[in-house]
């Protein structure tokens, strides 16, 4: 009878573990744990440099909304000194959509055509719509294209383009993945800003592009935290305080670095502060180059592994002492977290917390049962003595 109870308890624990993982019952808590335990910054690529549109720049030039394109023309001139000294690619992570001044608009477009190493961002305006799937079931599509904010005509005719939209997690709005491409329609597929910059960089190096995944969305590991990538103020470049040689053969990204520009997001690598969008693009580009992608372990496989582990320790701890039970359960929790860390750094994501949490619960239950049995035996002994 005891053996049947032991097996039944083990099977029940295994079933609970399976569905806890398969249904991802811990969801946001699990993602938070993954961020804290596994997402850590490393050394960033020296070839990626950021020119920031910050408060220092706007204090001297005025708010960015008042600038004409001559600011960007001067920047390209300052960076592209000669055929020997020039960036591999200059990516503008800003929306140059509205016409400002016809003369300076055309001058900037001409400069982009002349150097041929410029990527400009555009943005999709998405809306939620109900659409029928192939079986006639209505589903909500949050990626329905309502509009596009493109660079002004003269610029989009000569520059390389890529969309800058961020891909935030539906549960907690953190950015853990990125678009590589987007199927705008059956006939039109657009590249992301990061991909367009990456492809232009590889072209400049005379190398073939090599994407770490064939999917249109990529989960990735961050290399840098906010502020980790080398960055300088735009005004310092324009004033000649930073030599053009500092950007030679580099990936140069120009983007917002001021809170008022509303281009910052929560990221897993540093949950205490937000990261500017241009820094996220830098991380995505490096992830593509270095192959720092992440893919989920098959959900069923993950659930089965968790079920087996939990069923096994439930069975093993049945007749163990309290001390040994605690050791086995804590060791299981630690080993699972360690295995998750190793797999994460190899590019694989598993459920983080279900096994450790259930292992702790098992330890608590067995300790409680042993305590109850000890008290019951003690009471029985006292009655016998009396």
């Amino acid at each position: 009878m005891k053996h049947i109870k032991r097996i039944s308890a083990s099977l029940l624990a295994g079933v609970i573990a399976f569905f806890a993982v398969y249904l991802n019952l811990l969801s946001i808590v699990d993602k938070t744990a993954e961020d804290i335990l596994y997402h850590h910054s490393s050394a960033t690529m020296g070839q990626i440099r950021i020119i920031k549109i910050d408060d220092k720049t706007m204090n001297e030039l005025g708010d960015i909304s008042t600038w004409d394109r001559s600011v960007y023309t001067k920047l390209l001139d300052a960076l592209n000194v000669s055929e020997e000294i020039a960036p591999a690619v200059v990516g503008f992570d800003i929306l140059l959509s509205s016409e400002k001044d016809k003369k300076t608009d055309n001058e900037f477009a001409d400069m982009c055509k002349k150097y041929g190493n410029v990527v400009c961002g555009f943005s999709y305006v998405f809306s939620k719509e109900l659409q029928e799937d192939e079986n006639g079931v209505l589903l909500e599509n949050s990626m329905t294209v309502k509009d596009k904010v493109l660079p002004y005509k003269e610029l989009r005719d000569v520059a390389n383009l890529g969309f800058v939209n961020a891909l935030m997690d539906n549960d907690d709005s953190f950015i853990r993945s990125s678009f590589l491409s987007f199927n705008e329609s059956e006939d039109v597929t657009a590249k992301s800003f990061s991909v367009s910059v990456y492809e232009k960089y590889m072209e400049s190096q005379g190398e073939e592009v090599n994407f770490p995944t064939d999917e249109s969305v990529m989960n990735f590991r961050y290399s840098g935290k906010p502020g980790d990538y080398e960055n300088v103020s735009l005004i310092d470049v324009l004033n000649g305080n930073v030599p053009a040689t500092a950007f030679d053969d580099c990936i140069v990204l120009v983007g917002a670095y001021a809170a008022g520009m509303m281009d910052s997001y929560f990221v897993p690598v540093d949950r205490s502060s937000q990261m500017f969008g241009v820094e996220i693009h830098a991380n995505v580009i490096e992830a593509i180059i270095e192959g720092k992608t992440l893919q989920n372990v098959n959900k069923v496989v993950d659930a089965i592994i968790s079920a087996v582990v939990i069923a096994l320790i439930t069975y093993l701890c049945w007749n163990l002492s309290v001390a040994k039970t605690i050791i086995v359960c804590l060791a299981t929790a630690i080993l699972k977290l360690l295995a998750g860390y190793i797999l994460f750094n190899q590019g694989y994501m598993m459920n983080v917390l279900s096994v450790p949490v259930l292992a702790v619960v098992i330890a608590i239950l067995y300790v409680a049962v042993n305590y109850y049995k000890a008290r019951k035996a003690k009471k029985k002994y006292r009655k016998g003595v009396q």
Side-chain angles (χ1 to χ4, degrees):
M1 187 66 180
K2 288 184 178 181
H3 188 62
I4 294 174
K5 286 183 178 179
R6 185 179 184 182
I7 292 175
S8 299
S10 301
L11 290 175
L12 177 60
V15 170
I16 292 171
F18 180 90
F19 284 106
V21 173
Y22 187 79
L23 299 175
N24 195 21
L25 297 180
L26 296 177
S27 190
I28 295 177
V29 178
D30 202 79
K31 289 178 181 177
T32 301
E34 181 181 85
D35 293 348
I36 295 170
L37 295 172
Y38 302 155
H39 277 282
H40 300 294
S41 60
S42 57
T44 57
M45 286 180 63
Q47 293 96 326
I48 300 178
R49 310 285 170 86
I50 294 174
I51 295 177
K52 53 189 180 181
I53 301 173
D54 56 359
D55 291 325
K56 179 181 178 181
T57 299
M58 289 192 284
N59 285 340
E60 186 161 335
L61 299 180
D63 188 82
I64 188 173
S65 63
T66 66
W67 300 358
D68 60 33
R69 312 301 185 206
S70 63
V71 173
Y72 308 118
T73 302
K74 291 174 185 175
L75 175 62
L76 288 182
D77 261 339
L79 295 175
N80 295 276
V81 176
S82 65
E83 289 186 5
E84 290 74 31
I85 301 175
V89 55
V90 181
F92 286 90
D93 180 28
I94 47 180
L95 298 178
L96 302 169
S97 54
S98 59
E99 293 184 355
K100 292 284 187 178
D101 171 76
K102 195 68 175 176
K103 180 174 180 293
T104 58
D105 284 351
N106 288 336
E107 286 175 349
F108 178 59
D110 290 342
M111 198 65 69
C112 292
K113 183 177 181 180
K114 174 184 176 181
Y115 294 125
N117 61 350
V118 176
V119 174
C120 291
F122 73 91
S123 178
Y124 284 110
V125 178
F126 293 116
S127 65
K128 294 182 179 180
E129 289 186 7
L130 289 176
Q131 296 181 345
E132 284 189 3
D133 65 8
E134 56 186 13
N135 298 317
V137 179
L138 284 176
L139 299 172
E140 184 179 73
N141 181 8
S142 60
M143 292 293 178
T144 301
V145 177
K146 183 179 180 182
D147 198 5
K148 279 199 298 188
V149 182
L150 291 164
Y152 60 92
K153 184 181 184 306
E154 291 78 7
L155 180 58
R156 67 173 177 263
D157 286 345
V158 297
N160 300 279
L161 303 181
F163 64 94
V164 298
N165 299 74
L167 187 57
M168 291 183 285
D169 193 293
N170 289 329
D171 292 326
D172 59 8
S173 297
F174 275 68
I175 295 180
R176 301 180 179 89
S177 56
S178 171
F179 285 111
L180 293 181
S181 62
F182 178 73
N183 292 326
E184 185 178 324
S185 66
E186 289 184 4
D187 303 319
V188 179
T189 299
K191 299 173 184 176
S192 72
F193 176 77
S194 299
V195 164
S196 291
V197 170
Y198 163 71
E199 289 185 340
K200 200 67 186 172
Y201 174 71
M202 297 300 282
E203 179 187 322
S204 74
Q205 305 303 301
E207 297 181 22
E208 295 289 330
V209 298
N210 182 27
F211 293 100
T213 176
D214 295 327
E215 302 296 325
S216 61
V217 171
M218 175 184 76
N219 297 316
F220 67 97
R221 287 180 287 150
Y222 282 79
S223 296
K225 295 184 295 186
D228 276 359
Y229 284 94
E230 292 188 48
N231 58 82
V232 295
S233 293
L234 172 60
I235 193 63
D236 286 333
V237 179
L238 296 179
N239 289 341
N241 298 330
V242 183
T245 51
F247 306 101
D248 183 39
D249 205 32
C250 288
I251 296 170
V252 178
L253 302 178
V254 183
Y257 239 79
M261 295 179 73
M262 306 294 288
D263 189 29
S264 57
Y265 307 87
F266 290 107
V267 294
V269 74
D270 184 356
R271 296 179 65 87
S272 62
S273 59
Q274 290 186 312
M275 178 180 283
F276 290 112
V278 68
E279 296 176 300
I280 295 174
H281 286 303
N283 273 285
V284 173
I285 293 165
E286 181 163 349
I288 296 172
I289 293 172
E290 300 292 335
K292 294 182 177 179
T293 57
L294 291 166
Q295 56 181 317
N296 288 301
V297 171
N298 182 276
K299 189 188 292 186
V300 174
V301 173
D302 196 1
I304 290 173
I305 292 171
S306 301
V308 170
V309 170
I310 292 301
L312 185 60
I313 65 169
T314 303
Y315 186 85
L316 290 175
C317 292
W318 188 268
N319 290 325
L320 293 182
S321 65
V322 170
K324 288 181 179 178
T325 296
I326 292 173
I327 291 171
V328 168
C329 291
L330 289 182
T332 300
I334 293 169
L335 287 172
K336 175 60 174 69
L337 294 175
L338 181 60
Y341 178 79
I342 293 170
L343 284 169
F344 185 87
N345 284 288
Q346 294 298 316
Y348 298 96
M349 295 183 294
M350 296 182 73
N351 187 280
V352 178
L353 287 182
S354 292
V355 167
V357 167
L358 288 171
V360 171
V361 170
I362 289 168
I364 292 171
L365 287 174
Y366 275 134
V367 169
V369 168
N370 276 283
Y371 177 74
Y372 171 76
K373 286 180 178 179
R375 286 199 60 178
K376 188 176 179 181
K378 193 173 182 180
K379 284 182 179 179
K380 189 175 180 181
Y381 173 76
R382 285 177 178 173
K383 284 182 181 180
V385 171
Q386 292 174 357

